[in-house]
Amino acid sequence: MTIEELLQEIDTMNSYRRYGKVKRVIGLMIESKGPESSIGDVCNIIIHKKKKRIVQAEVVGFRDDHVILMPFTDIQDIGPGCMVEATNNPLEIRIGEELRGKVLDALGKPLNQEEELPVGLGKYPTDQAPPNPMTRPSITEELEVGVKVIDGLLTVGKGQRVGIFAGSGVGKSTLLGMIARNTHADINVIALIGERGREVRDFLERDLGPEGLSRSIVIVATSDQPALMRIKGAYTATAISEYFRDMGYNVMLMMDSVTRVAMAQREVGLAVGEPPTTKGYTPSVFSMLPKLLERTGTNQHGSITAFYTVLVDGDDMNEPIADTVRGILDGHFVLDRDLANKGQYPAINVLKSVSRVMNHIVDNEHKRAAESMREKLSKYYQAEDLINIGAYKRGSSREIDDAIQSYPAIINYLKQEVDDSWKFTDTKKELTNLMK
């Protein structure tokens, strides 16, 4: 930096510190008289009890001349009269190549308190605008994920955004672990939002494994943490993905689950005073989702291929969050509880799932084979009840006869052990041979 640039920096520097005082605390919300700040700014609440402690909070709204704050951590010991210091900056995280293999919290700090981030990492804001639509390159290249049913019948492209829709206990985390271990992306960014504390360790050791963790960055915000931390976990994971995309990498972002991010936003909205609308969700939820999900995808430097899990209540695929997310993303995979009960894993219902870019990135032979397998499955399921009770007579329909003959081989193709990994060329070859 030259002397002139340094002097200019000093001239524009704000040398004042602005303070306010906590007036009241109601539920998740802290009201303070001052300081002068803007929406999204981080403030420090200074607690003098036994020993000085600082609690970070974000400005989420204003009421009359009071500032409404939401804390990143618990609000224990905060009371009327505590000093509130404005930083006049939004939340920023430290970021760099050295984060590979790390497990971080929603603020970008190591979850293992014994670890420390390397010195010299740059700072990066968590809240970014989505790329300009005119600068987004088209998706033209497939991304190998190592799962047969996805690579063969629901091919994913580099920069595609996909939703994984399922109820609880159908295998979402296991499928994410398989994709993370087997994918050919340059780096994985995995966000575990609203998970049980027990499941975090299980996912890291059992589903992801040391091999997957070595080329991943994991962000964790468990269900016991404040709503703002769960929201910031999603924003931090997306910001890390954007940083590596701008460096020219092909990034794989996996978020489990976007439903819990929406629930956290609902908590914040209700605390600020928003009216509940569709099934109790506030209007800010439906404005936040497109802003978050549109940040991923392609830009002129690299790509972010994103998998967002959506937890559907009672396996209802038309509930508000599932319906909204499905309309924003470039495809959806539906995990079917009935298939899981039959022992078919991954339990992806091929007929209810779709990849909106598959037809543009695979060759005609692959496309025809995938369409043929879908048709045979559809014909079999249409006649399944008749087949099971013995009411169908062979020879009544040539298409159904063909479907019955092919069904065992198709189901064998759709199944895959958790530790298996398939190359894209082998997956395509087996699919085309099976359909011939």
Side-chain angles (χ1 to χ4, degrees):
M1 183 179 287
T2 63
I3 295 295
E4 290 78 10
E5 290 174 334
L6 190 59
L7 291 172
Q8 186 178 1
E9 186 75 20
I10 292 172
D11 289 338
T12 57
M13 186 182 295
N14 189 349
S15 58
Y16 291 97
R17 288 192 175 185
R18 293 176 171 81
Y19 291 91
K21 279 190 176 181
V22 172
K23 289 299 181 184
R24 61 176 178 170
V25 179
I26 303 175
L28 303 172
M29 181 184 65
I30 301 168
E31 278 193 29
S32 73
K33 180 75 173 178
E36 183 182 327
S37 54
S38 304
I39 294 285
D41 284 355
V42 175
C43 293
N44 295 323
I45 301 173
I46 303 166
I47 303 170
H48 289 282
K49 188 175 182 181
K50 295 180 183 177
K51 60 180 181 179
K52 182 177 177 181
R53 186 164 71 93
I54 292 176
V55 172
Q56 285 189 311
E58 184 176 295
V59 178
V60 294
F62 302 95
R63 182 174 294 146
D64 299 327
D65 57 347
H66 286 183
V67 179
I68 301 175
L69 301 161
M70 295 286 287
F72 291 131
T73 54
D74 62 80
I75 58 176
Q76 191 175 0
D77 297 333
I78 295 177
C82 288
M83 296 291 289
V84 181
E85 180 188 12
T87 64
N88 298 118
N89 290 312
L91 179 65
E92 293 182 324
I93 55 172
R94 294 170 61 197
I95 196 166
E97 289 277 0
E98 294 82 358
L99 293 183
R100 287 177 187 264
K102 300 281 186 187
V103 181
L104 311 174
D105 66 10
L107 305 181
K109 299 174 183 176
L111 205 60
N112 185 348
Q113 297 179 350
E114 297 177 359
E115 292 184 9
E116 289 186 5
L117 292 179
V119 179
L121 295 178
K123 287 189 175 182
Y124 199 78
T126 59
D127 199 356
Q128 303 273 354
N132 187 321
M134 297 304 293
T135 64
R136 285 184 184 268
S138 298
I139 299 172
T140 57
E141 188 179 351
E142 70 273 354
L143 179 70
E144 182 179 329
V145 299
V147 181
K148 279 194 295 182
V149 62
I150 296 176
D151 284 342
L153 300 174
L154 301 161
T155 311
V156 174
K158 288 182 180 177
Q160 185 176 354
R161 300 161 303 145
V162 180
I164 299 176
F165 294 73
S168 56
V170 190
K172 297 186 303 298
S173 298
T174 303
L175 180 59
L176 288 182
M178 289 175 68
I179 295 172
R181 289 194 307 273
N182 301 330
T183 182
H184 282 205
D186 298 324
I187 187 169
N188 302 319
V189 180
I190 303 170
L192 303 178
I193 310 297
E195 287 283 354
R196 306 175 189 88
R198 175 190 62 80
E199 288 184 339
V200 173
R201 190 80 178 260
D202 286 349
F203 177 81
L204 294 175
E205 295 179 354
R206 185 183 60 203
D207 296 330
L208 190 58
E211 181 186 351
L213 181 60
S214 65
R215 53 195 186 94
S216 302
I217 302 169
V218 182
I219 294 85
V220 176
T222 51
S223 57
D224 60 292
Q225 294 182 329
L228 199 60
M229 282 289 274
R230 282 174 269 147
I231 297 170
K232 289 302 173 186
Y235 277 67
T236 296
T238 307
I240 292 173
S241 303
E242 290 170 322
Y243 171 83
F244 285 102
R245 175 181 64 184
D246 291 342
M247 291 179 63
Y249 289 170
N250 292 312
V251 184
M252 174 77 77
L253 170 65
M254 287 175 278
M255 190 177 294
D256 184 15
S257 72
V258 73
T259 307
R260 295 191 178 110
V261 178
M263 289 177 175
Q265 181 64 39
R266 176 175 63 183
E267 288 182 44
V268 172
L270 291 173
V272 172
E274 282 189 80
T277 52
T278 312
K279 285 198 174 180
Y281 287 101
T282 57
S284 63
V285 174
F286 300 102
S287 63
M288 177 270 292
L289 284 173
K291 289 178 183 176
L292 175 66
L293 304 181
E294 285 289 346
R295 287 170 61 180
T296 54
T298 58
N299 73 357
Q300 61 269 40
H301 304 295
S303 68
I304 302 174
T305 307
F307 288 91
Y308 298 98
T309 68
V310 182
L311 190 62
V312 289
D313 294 332
D315 295 334
D316 178 15
M317 297 298 167
N318 296 316
E319 59 98 23
I321 299 304
D323 210 31
T324 302
V325 172
R326 188 166 51 239
I328 298 169
L329 299 179
D330 308 318
H332 53 272
F333 302 163
V334 177
L335 299 188
D336 196 319
R337 193 176 300 277
D338 290 337
L339 296 180
N341 292 339
K342 292 177 182 177
Q344 179 179 323
Y345 287 100
I348 298 177
N349 189 321
V350 174
L351 299 180
K352 293 182 180 178
S353 306
V354 66
S355 170
R356 290 179 180 160
V357 304
M358 177 178 175
N359 288 342
H360 305 294
I361 59 176
V362 299
D363 57 46
N364 289 331
E365 184 185 29
H366 187 167
K367 192 189 308 182
R368 284 193 297 270
E371 289 172 354
S372 177
M373 183 173 282
R374 282 175 173 272
E375 288 174 7
K376 290 180 189 298
L377 270 177
S378 178
K379 288 293 181 184
Y380 183 87
Y381 288 137
Q382 285 174 14
E384 187 174 22
D385 291 339
L386 294 175
I387 296 167
N388 289 338
I389 65 174
Y392 176 76
K393 292 183 180 179
R394 188 176 295 274
S396 301
S397 168
R398 182 179 176 182
E399 292 176 338
I400 295 177
D401 289 346
D402 191 21
I404 293 172
Q405 185 177 354
S406 304
Y407 184 72
I410 291 174
I411 294 301
N412 186 57
Y413 178 83
L414 298 179
K415 287 182 178 180
Q416 183 171 333
E417 295 293 331
V418 173
D419 297 327
D420 287 351
S421 175
W422 280 74
K423 293 184 182 297
F424 188 86
T425 51
D426 295 339
T427 298
K428 176 186 168 183
K429 184 178 179 181
E430 183 173 344
L431 174 65
T432 51
N433 289 340
L434 191 61
M435 290 300 99
K436 284 178 182 177

